[in-house]
Amino acid sequence: MADTDPKGPSVLRVPEGDNRERLVCPDCGFIQYENPKIVAGAVCTWGEKILLCRRAIEPRRDYWTLPAGYLELNETTLEGAIREAWEEALAIIEIDALLSIYSIPRISQVQLFYRARLLTPEIGVGPESLEVGLFDWEEIPWDRLSFPTVRWALHHYRETRDLTDFAARTNPTGENGNY
Amino acid sequence: MADTDPKGPSVLRVPEGDNRERLVCPDCGFIQYENPKIVAGAVCTWGEKILLCRRAIEPRRDYWTLPAGYLELNETTLEGAIREAWEEALAIIEIDALLSIYSIPRISQVQLFYRARLLTPEIGVGPESLEVGLFDWEEIPWDRLSFPTVRWALHHYRETRDLTDFAARTNPTGENGNY
């Protein structure tokens, strides 16, 4: 390991046989092929109530979010959504349907939200949460939600809650997920 | 740049504050957070005919595929599917609906296929294709398709072709995308 601060892939170059610039490490020559990341999450319900978590980490620490996070290697999107509900809210869920798929190009994310049922109302605070709770629709802290996609997913859940076979919702018209 | 062969992130270590091993570069200390990749593609039709491309590159060179490829940074999934149809078949398409979303955990991919219309029947061979063509259902070279997900997407297209509001299809039961 270099005794200076690691630079990592930090120089833009078009690798041989490629058609766009990639980040290359000036120390070791490693080419970093960076691709968009997948976030998997769920709107988890117990009866009429919806599971929300108050974030313990940045960005948007202290704001309320739906359990969701980066998909890991060798994981299916369903497994990712189930894992995140467990990690963030100690919730055991059953996936019911694909609710929505959002693209947030500015931060190169594709976010998938599922509709899910809590198998038990027992929930708890995971390492990335300060607080977790089950909210009636009227109780949702709309002015304290962490991200636009959380608001979208909640409204798309409300809109499709009585449907069994429906097209996954996408970004609201004209919205790109920026604040 | 090191004068020896670049190692790149090649040592497994659990970074501080993380809960799993990541690849770290022994030369420069760079931590590579590797995540699953998103593939965006489309079943593109002109009337009854379906667009297929014969691959010019490995893996599965010479086998027939649907236009699809890795989503790039700052790209929406729709933009990715439209770009790939252009790059691989010089096809200009209009996306109609989300057809399917497949997880292939072994290779850490999530593949999204859209249902799309060709805006003109003019197609051509892009750099990654040896040949492109418009096939009637009966003409599809089933025994020469490149990947299981191509077969799945074609059948899911056939199954949903007359539907306007339908749930995106997923991996056929028990199938993980391996050969």
Side-chain angles (χ1 to χ4, degrees), chain A residues 1-2 6 9 20 22 26-28 30 35-38 71-74 77 101 103 105-106 108 110 112 165-167, chain B residues 1-2 6 9 22 26-28 30 35-38 71-74 77 101 103 105-106 108 110 112 165-167:
Chain A
M1 175 143 165
R20 18 185 115 202
R22 310 291 177 179
D27 291 334
C28 77
F30 172 73
N35 293 89
K37 288 190 172 58
I38 303 161
L71 193 65
E72 291 284 357
L73 292 178
N74 306 117
T77 53
I101 167 169
S103 285
R106 179 183 55 87
S108 296
V110 174
L112 300 174
D165 187 41
F166 61 95
Chain B
M1 178 145 163
R22 310 289 178 180
D27 291 334
C28 78
F30 172 71
N35 293 88
K37 288 189 171 58
I38 303 161
L71 194 64
E72 291 285 356
L73 292 179
N74 306 117
T77 54
I101 167 169
S103 285
R106 178 182 55 87
S108 297
V110 174
L112 300 174
D165 187 41
F166 61 96

Side-chain angles (χ1 to χ4, degrees), chain A:
Chain A
M1 175 143 165
D3 45 15
T4 56
D5 288 345
K7 298 188 203 63
S10 54
V11 178
L12 280 173
R13 242 182 251 151
V14 178
E16 205 183 325
D18 198 348
N19 61 4
R20 18 185 115 202
E21 287 186 322
R22 310 291 177 179
L23 283 170
V24 178
C25 176
D27 291 334
C28 77
F30 172 73
I31 301 164
Q32 182 182 21
Y33 284 93
E34 226 189 325
N35 293 89
K37 288 190 172 58
I38 303 161
V39 168
V43 176
C44 310
T45 55
W46 179 257
E48 295 290 293
K49 293 180 179 295
I50 297 170
L51 173 63
L52 293 175
C53 312
R54 192 153 59 88
R55 292 172 61 84
I57 55 173
E58 296 296 348
R60 306 290 282 168
R61 185 176 196 279
D62 211 38
Y63 285 78
W64 291 89
T65 191
L66 291 162
Y70 289 128
L71 193 65
E72 291 284 357
L73 292 178
N74 306 117
E75 194 174 49
T76 68
T77 53
L78 266 76
E79 290 165 349
I82 291 168
R83 175 182 52 76
E84 290 289 340
W86 172 255
E87 287 183 1
E88 299 186 0
L90 310 186
I92 299 166
I93 66 171
E94 178 178 63
I95 301 290
D96 161 47
L98 176 64
L99 176 64
S100 56
I101 167 169
Y102 308 124
S103 285
I104 306 101
R106 179 183 55 87
I107 53 173
S108 296
Q109 282 189 12
V110 174
Q111 300 192 2
L112 300 174
F113 285 93
Y114 287 94
R115 191 170 69 178
R117 277 178 301 270
L118 286 158
L119 294 184
T120 126
E122 276 90 67
I123 55 175
V125 170
E128 297 183 1
S129 304
L130 294 169
E131 181 184 359
V132 296
L134 291 168
F135 294 76
D136 284 317
W137 183 257
E138 303 67 30
E139 302 168 342
I140 293 171
W142 295 106
D143 56 343
R144 300 286 301 163
L145 295 180
S146 57
F147 306 109
T149 51
V150 170
R151 189 179 74 250
W152 301 349
L154 287 167
H155 283 289
H156 284 149
Y157 165 75
R158 183 77 164 180
E159 175 187 316
T160 57
R161 58 190 295 199
D162 300 323
L163 306 176
T164 51
D165 187 41
F166 61 95
R169 278 18 189 189
T170 58
N171 295 36
T173 309
E175 295 207 45
N176 58 13
N178 295 344
Y179 298 99

Side-chain angles (χ1 to χ4, degrees), chain B residues 152 156 170-176:
Chain B
W152 301 349
H156 284 148
T170 57
N171 295 36
T173 309
E175 294 207 46
N176 58 13

Side-chain angles (χ1 to χ4, degrees), chain B residues 149-170:
Chain B
T149 51
V150 171
R151 188 178 77 250
W152 301 349
L154 287 167
H155 284 289
H156 284 148
Y157 165 76
R158 183 78 166 180
E159 177 187 316
T160 56
R161 59 189 294 197
D162 300 323
L163 304 178
T164 51
D165 187 41
F166 61 96
R169 276 26 187 184
T170 57

Side-chain angles (χ1 to χ4, degrees), chain B residues 83-103:
Chain B
R83 175 182 52 76
E84 290 290 341
W86 173 255
E87 287 182 1
E88 299 186 1
L90 310 185
I92 299 167
I93 65 171
E94 178 178 63
I95 301 289
D96 161 47
L98 177 64
L99 176 63
S100 56
I101 167 169
Y102 308 124
S103 285

